[in-house]
Amino acid sequence: MAESMTDFIAGSAAGFAGKLLDYPLDTVKVLLQTQNVGTSNEAAAAAAATLARSQSVNSATTTTITTAQPRVVYRGAIHCLQHTTQTQGFFSLYKGLSSPLLGSMAENAVLFLAYNSLKRIMAGEFSPFNNNDKQEHRGSKSKEDLTLLQLSLAGAGAGALVPFVLTPVELIKCRLQVQNAGSNAGFRTYKGPIDVIVQTIKTEGIANGLYKGNTATLMREIPGNFCWYGVYEGVCKLMIPEGGTKADLGTSAHLIGGALAGGAYWTAFYPADTVKSYIQTSPDHNGSSFIRTLISLYRSIGIRGLYRGWGITAARAAPAHAAIFATYEYTMKFLKANDDSYEPNSEVSFTMKESIRD
């Protein structure tokens, strides 16, 4: 089996495992990020007027209410989680899962494929312009010899490619997740992932619709994956036994490295994700650029608002990203150990090959 195919399959398996773990808390993150940007002035006025009529307040008070700023619904991640499960049910946290589950599999397949291809190019093992390049350079340098900076740069390069797969998936996910905020929040309602795609293309098109927020996704993915792979590979290098290789690491090393990498990924440039969620879901967004939207949000909600949901996101990232890396590494070892055409090297030790087959 070609090495690129094993990267693709292992990445898909990793994406499946990670998304199942992190999706409920991802829903909480999106609800926190968008809670006071989804209610348009008209929606706020209508809600206030309805409340005013029900309480029989005077017209002066009504005027005061209708001009008030949209209120913040959730006090924090725990309150958001409790409120959503109590009012919408536990499985509402999985609303829209099918699209991001498939998207996560595709995302991680492309991400790991691109990352390892860039590593092979940097090591001189592979050239996209010469299929025989690997044979000519074999033995001169290995992926194991790459520095931590080179590995991080390979991660950043992979991060620059994956948004072209990821942006439409995240738009669908976010537009379905924010519906948990309720009918008065000002968001458009959808029946499911297919309805999101159809309505978005029909009303907004593909470039300005399905790929809305692509720049924000790029701004998150490039530094995020620089740190993601950098931290993971750094932990692995530190835990490799003397005289050993990465193949000698146990599951615990991949879990620890993945957990720390997840926190680093979301800490790298979290505000970019807040901007992306706003651009993709808010009915009030006027098509402004990433920078202008970032400045506008900073002026309206401040730096704390831009980091709203970071805590729950970092907490969920630890187990989810630990599962991603552990699943990826074990799947790669399994596929290579059961592929008779694969030549054993530093990637898979003889001990691991025998233990998997047994």
Side-chain angles (χ1 to χ4, degrees):
M1 185 184 295
E3 192 166 0
S4 58
M5 182 58 70
T6 59
D7 289 332
F8 191 88
I9 294 173
S12 298
F16 182 88
K19 185 55 64 178
L20 283 181
L21 278 176
D22 97 325
Y23 194 78
L25 296 183
D26 182 68
T27 297
V28 172
K29 179 208 71 172
V30 172
L31 289 172
L32 288 170
Q33 287 177 327
T34 59
Q35 62 179 322
N36 63 344
V37 297
T39 305
S40 62
N41 291 334
E42 292 80 3
T50 301
L51 178 63
R53 284 195 298 271
S54 67
Q55 295 177 339
S56 301
V57 298
N58 57 43
S59 60
T61 305
T62 303
T63 302
T64 301
I65 294 175
T66 58
T67 58
Q69 294 295 319
R71 63 187 178 88
V72 175
V73 177
Y74 308 113
R75 295 189 296 272
I78 300 301
H79 177 233
C80 178
L81 184 63
Q82 291 176 338
H83 180 271
T84 302
T85 54
Q86 289 173 359
T87 60
Q88 305 287 332
F90 174 77
F91 288 105
S92 68
L93 295 172
Y94 282 93
K95 182 175 287 186
L97 173 63
S98 59
S99 173
L101 186 61
L102 294 174
S104 178
M105 294 172 68
E107 172 200 353
N108 281 278
V110 171
L111 190 63
F112 280 102
L113 174 60
Y115 174 63
N116 284 293
S117 295
L118 289 171
K119 284 169 60 180
R120 289 194 289 271
I121 291 172
M122 288 180 174
E125 294 181 357
F126 165 76
S127 170
F129 307 107
N130 184 359
N131 291 331
N132 295 322
D133 201 53
K134 183 176 179 180
Q135 298 294 333
E136 295 171 4
H137 291 83
R138 179 172 292 174
S140 61
K141 193 175 182 180
S142 167
K143 290 183 292 183
E144 298 288 334
D145 299 323
L146 295 177
T147 66
L148 193 57
L149 177 60
Q150 288 176 309
L151 294 169
S152 299
L153 289 173
L161 296 174
V162 78
F164 297 98
V165 174
L166 185 59
T167 299
V169 173
E170 294 224 340
L171 180 136
I172 296 167
K173 170 185 75 70
C174 288
R175 291 191 174 184
L176 289 171
Q177 286 174 323
V178 295
Q179 292 183 114
N180 284 319
S183 58
N184 292 328
F187 297 111
R188 179 181 294 180
T189 58
Y190 301 96
K191 299 175 183 177
I194 301 300
D195 190 40
V196 176
I197 296 172
V198 172
Q199 288 197 44
T200 299
I201 294 177
K202 184 177 180 180
T203 59
E204 303 171 64
I206 296 177
N208 296 321
L210 285 179
Y211 277 90
K212 178 179 285 186
N214 190 58
T215 301
T217 307
L218 276 167
M219 295 301 294
R220 183 193 70 188
E221 291 297 308
I222 293 174
N225 282 288
F226 178 93
C227 296
W228 199 52
Y229 282 109
V231 169
Y232 175 73
E233 297 287 4
V235 171
C236 287
K237 284 179 178 291
L238 287 173
M239 299 185 72
I240 290 176
E242 185 177 356
T245 67
K246 188 177 178 180
D248 299 314
L249 293 175
T251 304
S252 60
H254 302 309
L255 291 174
I256 294 171
L260 294 175
Y265 170 89
W266 283 110
T267 304
F269 193 19
Y270 185 81
D273 189 68
T274 300
V275 173
K276 180 196 70 67
S277 294
Y278 173 77
I279 289 174
Q280 292 183 329
T281 63
S282 176
D284 295 330
H285 183 253
N286 58 9
S288 299
S289 66
F290 170 80
I291 296 298
R292 290 193 177 188
T293 303
L294 176 63
I295 293 172
S296 176
L297 286 176
Y298 173 74
R299 289 173 177 170
S300 63
I301 62 178
I303 191 68
R304 292 189 65 178
L306 288 171
Y307 276 91
R308 183 181 294 129
W310 174 84
I312 192 70
T313 303
R316 90 171 204 253
H321 291 231
I324 287 174
F325 276 107
T327 301
Y328 172 80
E329 296 287 0
Y330 187 80
T331 303
M332 284 291 288
K333 290 175 180 178
F334 177 82
L335 291 173
K336 290 179 177 180
N338 287 275
D339 183 5
D340 293 332
S341 65
Y342 183 77
E343 298 178 15
N345 56 21
S346 61
E347 296 284 332
V348 182
S349 65
F350 287 107
T351 302
M352 175 59 71
K353 188 171 183 178
E354 291 171 0
S355 64
I356 291 176
R357 285 182 170 172
D358 290 345

